[in-house]
Amino acid sequence: MSLKSNPLTRGKKQKARVLLQHNQLAEALPLLEQVCRADQRDAQAWFMLAATYQKLGVHVQAAETYRRVIALEPQHAEARYYFGNTCLALGDRANALAAYRDAIRLQPDYLDAYVNLGALLEVQKDFAAAETCYRQALHLDPRNAELHFNLGNMLQSQGKPAEAVKFYRQTIALRPDYAAAHNNLGNALARLEQHDESLACYRQALKLEPRLAAASNNMGNTYARQRCFKEAIACYQRALAIDPRYAEAQTNLGNIQRYQGKLGESIASHCRAIEFNPNYPDAHFNLALIYLLTGNF
């Protein structure tokens, strides 16, 4: 980053820097705008201005200003990274991808750029490329629990539960109180039909975070696979007590009620699930199935 600045604007820039350190963004903004108008080659001032726009949520101006920084200093990896974040906030995924890749090209050990690039690739379902990014990030920061967790989720979404288990276990080794990691480890073990271990994971997740509705719902699913319907119902009801609008738990409860021959209750459960999430396909399918079985159309 260029440290050159106009002596006439140096005082204003320093004052703006102090204001930013105290999170006084609105007060710093006009000073930075003045500095940039007076010295249009000061890349450092433009970068500070872009970051201020970004923190204030003025993303269009932030993007334009980061472009100005990059034009002044093409090797400015940090400007490219934050430009990517701003593009993402504006819904411009193509430019965000390019910006993160440019940041990594300029600074191969740019951890945050790998993480954000991986997350964006995951959203776009380019799982192989996302996995590569997460693994590179882990290489740079091997004791980062969140990175292990993200990679576990990535592998889980690719249908690789055995590999996912390894990363969830490493997450928990680094952060034993990570309830979501215990929950997701339970999901991976359930897919491997290791039901007792799976249930133990959900119990630990709920011990750490009693209002984690997903853990109760997932525990219910594991009990349901074992045809322990009484226990499954109790889990779904607990999940709904935590989150009364939890459509997945509601339709799972409806499925158990159907197995038990309680078709009226099952219909009501699926209808509630659709009320909570009108686009939930499982609820619509299960409701249609009951109507087909009963001859009610």
Side-chain angles (χ1 to χ4, degrees):
M1 181 186 295
S2 172
L3 297 178
K4 295 179 181 179
S5 62
N6 188 328
L8 299 176
T9 59
R10 192 174 297 142
K12 287 183 178 180
K13 190 165 74 171
Q14 181 58 32
K15 183 177 180 182
R17 184 180 287 108
V18 172
L19 289 168
L20 292 175
Q21 289 171 349
H22 291 85
N23 204 36
Q24 294 176 265
L25 305 177
E27 293 82 356
L29 183 62
L31 289 173
L32 290 169
E33 290 174 332
Q34 291 170 30
V35 171
C36 291
R37 281 196 299 268
D39 189 355
Q40 299 195 11
R41 301 291 303 172
D42 188 343
Q44 185 184 67
W46 283 105
F47 182 73
M48 292 166 64
L49 178 60
T52 303
Y53 280 138
Q54 186 175 19
K55 290 175 183 176
L56 289 169
V58 189
H59 297 300
V60 172
Q61 288 94 325
E64 292 173 356
T65 310
Y66 280 127
R67 286 185 188 275
R68 184 65 174 265
V69 178
I70 292 165
L72 288 169
E73 291 197 7
Q75 303 302 308
H76 199 315
E78 197 174 4
R80 291 180 185 272
Y81 168 75
Y82 285 108
F83 174 61
N85 290 352
T86 301
C87 288
L88 202 56
L90 292 168
D92 184 356
R93 291 181 179 177
N95 273 319
L97 282 170
Y100 293 142
R101 286 178 171 134
D102 283 341
I104 290 166
R105 174 177 54 80
L106 293 167
Q107 186 178 320
D109 63 349
Y110 205 144
L111 175 65
D112 289 343
Y114 280 111
V115 172
N116 286 15
L117 177 58
L120 183 50
L121 289 166
E122 184 176 1
V123 168
Q124 296 189 321
K125 300 190 184 304
D126 189 348
F127 296 125
E131 182 179 338
T132 298
C133 288
Y134 286 140
R135 287 186 183 275
Q136 184 59 38
L138 264 179
H139 176 72
L140 294 168
D141 189 4
R143 293 192 60 77
N144 187 316
E146 197 66 33
L147 290 177
H148 285 279
F149 181 69
N150 289 345
L151 189 48
N153 292 341
M154 165 70 54
L155 293 165
Q156 179 88 304
S157 67
Q158 292 181 81
K160 301 176 181 178
E163 293 182 56
V165 164
K166 298 174 186 176
F167 287 96
Y168 291 138
R169 290 198 191 281
Q170 186 60 37
T171 304
I172 292 165
L174 293 166
R175 253 185 74 183
D177 62 345
Y178 199 158
H182 288 280
N183 175 67
N184 289 13
L185 174 59
N187 290 342
L189 291 168
R191 292 180 70 175
L192 295 168
E193 298 187 2
Q194 298 178 27
H195 298 307
D196 289 344
E197 274 197 82
S198 173
L199 291 171
C201 289
Y202 297 136
R203 291 190 188 98
Q204 183 62 22
L206 288 165
K207 180 180 178 181
L208 292 166
E209 194 173 326
R211 295 192 60 77
L212 186 58
S216 287
N217 178 67
N218 294 333
M219 183 182 287
N221 292 340
T222 298
Y223 277 127
R225 292 188 191 100
Q226 296 176 300
R227 304 189 71 80
C228 300
F229 295 141
K230 179 180 177 181
E231 292 84 353
I233 288 172
C235 290
Y236 295 140
Q237 289 175 336
R238 180 169 56 186
L240 288 165
I242 296 167
D243 181 0
R245 299 184 64 82
Y246 194 165
E248 185 179 344
Q250 193 70 67
T251 203
N252 287 340
L253 176 60
N255 287 336
I256 299 295
Q257 291 164 334
R258 174 166 61 85
Y259 295 146
Q260 294 180 323
K262 301 175 182 178
L263 298 184
E265 292 180 39
S266 180
I267 288 170
S269 291
H270 291 309
C271 286
R272 280 193 290 272
I274 292 168
E275 178 188 348
F276 302 151
N277 183 356
N279 298 316
Y280 188 26
D282 288 359
H284 286 283
F285 174 82
N286 291 327
L287 188 59
L289 180 61
I290 295 172
Y291 288 146
L292 182 64
L293 290 172
T294 60
N296 295 319
F297 297 98

